[in-house]
Amino acid sequence: MSVRAIGMLAQARNFCRLGGVLRQSNRYAVGALNLTLGTQRSPADLSYRRFATETKQADAPADKHEFQAETRQLLDIVARSLYSDQEVFVRELISNASDALEKFRYTALSTGEAELSGKDRPLEIRITTDKPQMQLTIQDTGIGMTKEELISNLGTIARSGSKQFLEQMKNEKQASDAISNIIGQFGVGFYSAFIVAQRVEVYTRAATPNAPGLRWSTDGSGTYQIEEVQDVDLGTKIVLHLKTECREYADEDRIRTVIKKYSNFVGSPILLNGKQANEIKPLWLLDPQSISMEQHHDFYRFISNSFDVPRFTLHYNADVPLLIHALLYFPEGKPGLFEMSRDGNTGVALYTRKVLIQSKTEHLLPKWLRFVKGVVDSEDIPLNLSRELLQNSAIIRKLSSVLTSRVIRFLQERAKKQPEEYENFYRDYGLFLKEGIVTSSDSAEKEEIAKLLRFDSSKAEGAEGRMSLEDYYTSVGLEQKNIYYLAAPNRVLAESSPYYESLKKRNELVLFCYEPYDELVLMQLGKYKQKNLVSVEKEMREDSKDPSAATDYGEGSLLRSELDSLIPWIQDELQGQVVKVKATSRLDTHPCVVTVEEMAAARHFIRTQSHQVPEANRFALLQPELEINPKHPIIKKLDKLRVSDTELAKLITKQLFANAMVGAGLAEDPRMLLTNMNELLTKALDKY
């Protein structure tokens, strides 16, 4: 291996050790490297730059060695590997220009009139495109640079002039606004220009009296030139001579699109070929009382790329535990197909100091809140060098927790203050809330989301009568330990359900769940405050296990001796399908009912997986019990038919069981009933 190759290997190894920033596609790291480019060296010497380090002390005098780094390759790492998208160079250069304007604003306020030139000039960023020349120019009217600052700031990779400026202002109270508006922190943004440029020229003039105009230029090969020139405006102008394959960035529409995406909310005006390109204000940083409804509508349409208006608006600011500015919208329109899918991204964009970091940010809000649109801006979010990847998952988790809790609390407030509007919202987006209960691992969060659920109940009907779990909890006495619910396709079937009969006679309050997944949600929730959530089917099965359950089945029922003969006979006829047959006093108008241990889970299994399991195995998994009503005419007639007409009795028994399975929602395909039903009808009509 050559000496140069060894040097390059050492460079890459130490980049990783010092920088601590890794990318998936390239494991080089740039980190906090201060690589000063030479100004007066031959091409051979200029290929390398030195990093001095001391060896471990020993008895003999220590030798000092130097790391070598090829500047061209380092710029390639910055330009090609650090950023995932070409277009972000526009964001980086606009951010630098914005910082220059902020530095000028602060300096103008903190120094005398004689110490600064051009205090009254407009502070703005001007961008010019030139297609024929394949040039892009980004100019600011900010603080400008001296020759020493050019060498220090542009001649040193990963040395942030903005960060140094912030360090100088840390102890100055009046600098708080300037500090919050400064974007740069890593010192590599300028070099993103080499993603698209083959040559870069910088014209600058410092905002100090009698400062000369300067021209800095480089092709990124390892050298740069500085010379004094005439007719340079105060501030800084960067001219990018674009590579042929990157000529698209000399197009006005292309640059306007990038500005709108990343830098639309930069505090200073951005003029693109003389027209302002960033007219929308960062509403999340304004006083909520000063924002009109029309501004909210325009901003919502901008960030959501939709044409509806927001249903609810949450404007949230916090200083602790994290500094957060959030503006979140709840759409008026119904969710689309992409939002219904859990594979879709969340609709919240992440900004830091008004500069876009990610337009669709994973883990900022949980998946079940993916319908929420808006912006979150936080200065506490740790970023990597390219300002594209989030770091420190503990802070991100904390931010997500704070935002999620605030969204839940906001919806709870809307449910109380705007019940009609919330009811409409729940009808469209209730499914997402239920998903939140199923997917959340935090029991306290589950219960908070559960306060947002709404159900019909046995004592009320319609939108006005829909009841929350909190309403149920407060309407029944403390002595009642359970909250009862019944799953059915609609109210008519719920009220006529065999499982509801006994509770209806006792005038118990029951929630009606019409959606197939409602009972799974309540089963997942388990409890609400101190009360258990219990399905009426499970309550019926548990009650029948009670040894003190009634043995008096009512007037006109079969005798105990008749039941002792009928029950074993039915169990023999349904062998392999039921695990047990027993009499019950809890039925009134129905001849029989099927119960299983966990009805919600059983129904879900039937809907999703039962087709993969043979019928015999299916019944073995379900373990159904058949409970018969000894006073029902069909059951009493069946007892006689098993002696007088065994074949008809068998057909009736099978039909009763099939009917009970359909009523329980446990029949894989109700059409399978037709075969047995036709046989039963044929047998019943034999006499005619």
Side-chain angles (χ1 to χ4, degrees):
M1 184 181 293
S2 67
V3 173
R4 179 178 175 182
I6 294 172
M8 290 300 299
L9 182 61
Q11 167 208 353
R13 185 178 297 118
N14 283 279
F15 282 176
C16 293
R17 184 177 296 123
L18 295 173
V21 179
L22 301 179
R23 286 188 51 79
Q24 293 177 355
S25 61
N26 193 316
R27 297 192 66 84
Y28 287 119
V30 179
L33 302 179
N34 288 326
L35 180 59
T36 305
L37 305 180
T39 57
Q40 302 292 331
R41 297 196 176 190
S42 67
D45 292 332
L46 289 168
S47 297
Y48 298 96
R49 192 60 196 162
R50 299 178 176 181
F51 288 88
T53 184
E54 294 184 359
T55 60
K56 187 177 179 181
Q57 290 188 359
D59 294 336
D63 293 332
K64 289 186 177 180
H65 300 274
E66 298 174 337
F67 292 110
Q68 294 182 337
E70 187 175 318
T71 305
R72 173 74 260 179
Q73 182 161 350
L74 181 58
L75 287 175
D76 282 345
I77 292 172
V78 173
R80 297 178 184 177
S81 302
L82 191 58
Y83 299 96
S84 59
D85 293 321
Q86 273 189 345
E87 62 187 21
V88 298
F89 82 92
V90 179
R91 178 194 71 184
E92 296 298 295
L93 296 181
I94 289 177
S95 296
N96 287 350
S98 176
D99 284 353
L101 295 172
E102 291 300 330
K103 293 173 190 176
F104 181 83
R105 285 191 184 97
Y106 172 75
T107 306
L109 292 173
S110 59
T111 61
E113 196 71 40
E115 298 178 37
L116 209 60
S117 300
K119 274 194 173 184
D120 297 328
R121 68 181 185 273
L123 298 182
E124 57 193 19
I125 300 168
R126 303 165 188 164
I127 301 178
T128 307
T129 58
D130 187 339
K131 263 189 174 182
Q133 297 297 322
M134 287 200 307
Q135 289 182 4
L136 174 66
T137 302
I138 299 177
Q139 181 176 4
D140 66 72
T141 57
I143 195 70
M145 286 180 281
T146 64
K147 183 175 182 179
E148 292 73 22
E149 288 170 334
L150 274 176
I151 296 171
S152 176
N153 294 339
L154 301 190
T156 306
I157 298 177
R159 182 185 185 278
S160 172
S162 294
K163 189 171 183 179
Q164 185 182 31
F165 180 73
L166 291 175
E167 291 291 335
Q168 294 171 356
M169 294 195 302
K170 266 187 177 178
N171 298 322
E172 301 183 32
K173 294 181 180 178
Q174 68 271 29
S176 59
D177 289 340
I179 288 174
S180 65
N181 288 324
I182 293 293
I183 300 166
Q185 53 183 313
F186 295 115
V188 295
F190 170 77
Y191 305 98
S192 66
F194 290 98
I195 298 175
V196 298
Q198 59 184 350
R199 185 162 59 90
V200 177
E201 293 178 300
V202 178
Y203 296 87
T204 186
R205 182 178 162 205
T208 53
N210 303 318
L214 300 170
R215 176 181 174 272
W216 181 100
S217 62
T218 183
D219 60 1
S221 63
T223 64
Y224 63 83
Q225 294 178 340
I226 298 178
E227 58 183 324
E228 289 192 14
V229 291
Q230 300 298 318
D231 301 324
V232 176
D233 294 332
L234 293 171
T236 301
K237 179 172 71 173
I238 301 173
V239 181
L240 306 184
H241 299 268
L242 300 171
K243 301 172 185 175
T244 303
E245 64 270 21
C246 300
R247 64 169 67 91
E248 64 182 286
Y249 295 103
D251 182 77
E252 180 178 340
D253 291 337
R254 182 71 175 96
I255 296 300
R256 181 179 289 106
T257 301
V258 179
I259 293 172
K260 183 178 179 181
K261 180 177 180 181
Y262 291 102
S263 305
N264 207 49
F265 304 110
V266 168
S268 301
I270 301 175
L271 304 181
L272 176 59
N273 293 336
K275 297 179 181 179
Q276 187 163 347
N278 62 331
E279 295 180 345
I280 299 179
K281 296 179 180 179
L283 298 190
W284 66 89
L285 297 177
L286 303 182
D287 179 1
Q289 303 300 321
S290 69
I291 305 173
S292 68
M293 187 66 69
E294 184 179 354
Q295 284 179 300
H296 273 304
H297 290 177
D298 290 342
F299 187 77
Y300 167 75
R301 293 188 184 107
F302 169 76
I303 55 103
S304 65
N305 291 318
S306 61
F307 299 98
D308 61 339
V309 295
R311 191 190 307 254
F312 300 129
T313 299
L314 169 59
H315 197 157
Y316 173 57
N317 295 296
D319 295 325
V320 290
L322 297 170
L323 181 60
I324 302 170
H325 302 286
L327 184 54
L328 304 177
Y329 296 105
F330 299 77
E332 178 72 35
K334 295 186 177 183
L337 290 176
F338 291 108
E339 288 174 323
M340 296 298 288
S341 170
R342 279 186 55 80
D343 294 332
N345 294 322
T346 56
V348 176
L350 176 64
Y351 284 74
T352 291
R353 294 186 171 99
K354 298 180 285 188
V355 175
L356 178 68
I357 303 303
Q358 289 182 354
S359 58
K360 303 289 185 182
T361 311
E362 291 289 331
H363 312 303
L364 198 57
L365 285 177
K367 278 283 189 182
W368 65 271
L369 285 175
R370 59 189 174 276
F371 62 90
V372 176
K373 314 295 182 185
V375 169
V376 174
D377 192 322
S378 177
E379 299 173 20
D380 294 329
I381 296 174
L383 305 171
N384 73 346
L385 283 181
S386 64
R387 287 209 290 251
E388 294 173 336
L389 302 176
L390 306 181
Q391 300 184 133
N392 195 334
S393 58
I395 292 180
I396 301 304
R397 284 196 300 271
K398 184 64 178 176
L399 178 60
S400 176
S401 175
V402 170
L403 290 172
T404 303
S405 298
R406 186 64 188 93
V407 168
I408 294 172
R409 192 164 74 253
F410 172 78
L411 289 175
Q412 291 171 352
E413 293 166 358
R414 299 283 70 75
K416 291 179 181 178
K417 297 177 181 178
Q418 300 172 267
E420 291 185 10
E421 289 85 348
Y422 178 77
E423 182 64 36
N424 293 331
F425 164 79
Y426 183 79
R427 186 163 50 247
D428 293 336
Y429 290 91
L431 175 63
F432 294 90
L433 305 180
K434 295 166 187 176
E435 180 189 320
I437 292 175
V438 173
T439 57
S440 176
S441 57
D442 185 341
S443 58
E445 183 177 273
K446 285 176 183 282
E447 190 163 293
E448 290 301 311
I449 302 171
K451 294 178 182 178
L452 300 170
L453 301 181
R454 296 293 184 269
F455 302 97
D456 268 5
S457 73
S458 56
K459 295 184 179 179
E461 186 175 357
E464 294 182 359
R466 287 168 75 83
M467 179 175 282
S468 68
L469 292 177
E470 183 66 23
D471 294 335
Y472 190 115
Y473 182 85
T474 55
S475 64
V476 299
L478 294 175
E479 65 279 0
Q480 182 172 321
K481 303 301 181 185
N482 298 327
I483 294 175
Y484 296 113
Y485 64 89
L486 170 62
N490 53 58
R491 187 177 189 88
V492 172
L493 291 177
E495 291 180 329
S496 61
S497 170
Y499 303 100
Y500 175 54
E501 282 189 348
S502 63
L503 291 169
K504 186 177 182 180
K505 283 192 292 184
R506 286 155 34 198
N507 200 31
E508 295 277 9
L509 179 59
V510 178
L511 300 177
F512 292 156
C513 306
Y514 301 143
E515 300 295 339
Y517 38 76
D518 281 352
E519 55 183 341
L520 283 176
V521 172
L522 295 177
M523 186 177 71
Q524 180 73 228
L525 187 60
K527 295 183 71 172
Y528 182 77
K529 295 188 174 178
Q530 288 81 35
K531 296 186 186 297
N532 298 313
L533 291 161
V534 179
S535 71
V536 296
E537 299 101 334
K538 187 175 181 66
E539 189 270 344
M540 186 175 191
R541 187 174 176 112
E542 293 297 323
D543 188 68
S544 65
K545 293 178 181 179
D546 187 353
S548 62
T551 55
D552 180 8
Y553 301 112
E555 185 179 351
S557 66
L558 292 174
L559 300 175
R560 167 52 62 186
S561 58
E562 292 172 318
L563 286 172
D564 289 343
S565 301
L566 177 61
I567 288 174
W569 182 85
I570 293 175
Q571 191 148 345
D572 286 342
E573 291 303 317
L574 298 176
Q575 188 173 11
Q577 294 177 291
V578 298
V579 294
K580 189 176 183 180
V581 179
K582 56 188 175 184
T584 181
S585 61
R586 296 170 63 85
L587 294 175
D588 190 19
T589 61
H590 293 78
C592 63
V593 70
V594 163
T595 62
V596 297
E597 192 61 39
E598 288 292 349
M599 189 68 80
R603 277 193 278 257
H604 183 69
F605 166 74
I606 291 295
R607 284 194 298 266
T608 58
Q609 301 178 47
S610 66
H611 62 281
Q612 303 173 1
V613 181
E615 185 179 80
N617 292 355
R618 195 157 63 239
F619 287 119
L621 288 169
L622 294 175
Q623 297 279 297
E625 293 183 1
L626 181 66
E627 300 188 21
I628 61 173
N629 179 3
K631 60 179 180 290
H632 197 279
I634 294 178
I635 299 299
K636 292 194 288 185
K637 190 67 174 178
L638 178 64
D639 183 52
K640 295 178 180 179
L641 282 174
R642 70 184 176 88
V643 177
S644 61
D645 192 339
T646 305
E647 289 301 316
L648 181 57
K650 289 180 179 179
L651 290 173
I652 291 174
T653 301
K654 290 179 181 179
Q655 191 64 46
L656 285 172
F657 176 67
N659 291 350
M661 291 291 284
V662 171
L666 298 177
E668 181 183 21
D669 188 349
R671 290 174 295 184
M672 298 298 292
L673 292 170
L674 297 177
T675 302
N676 186 75
M677 189 179 294
N678 289 334
E679 291 179 13
L680 175 60
L681 291 173
T682 301
K683 184 67 176 176
L685 294 172
D686 278 349
K687 296 179 180 179
Y688 301 94

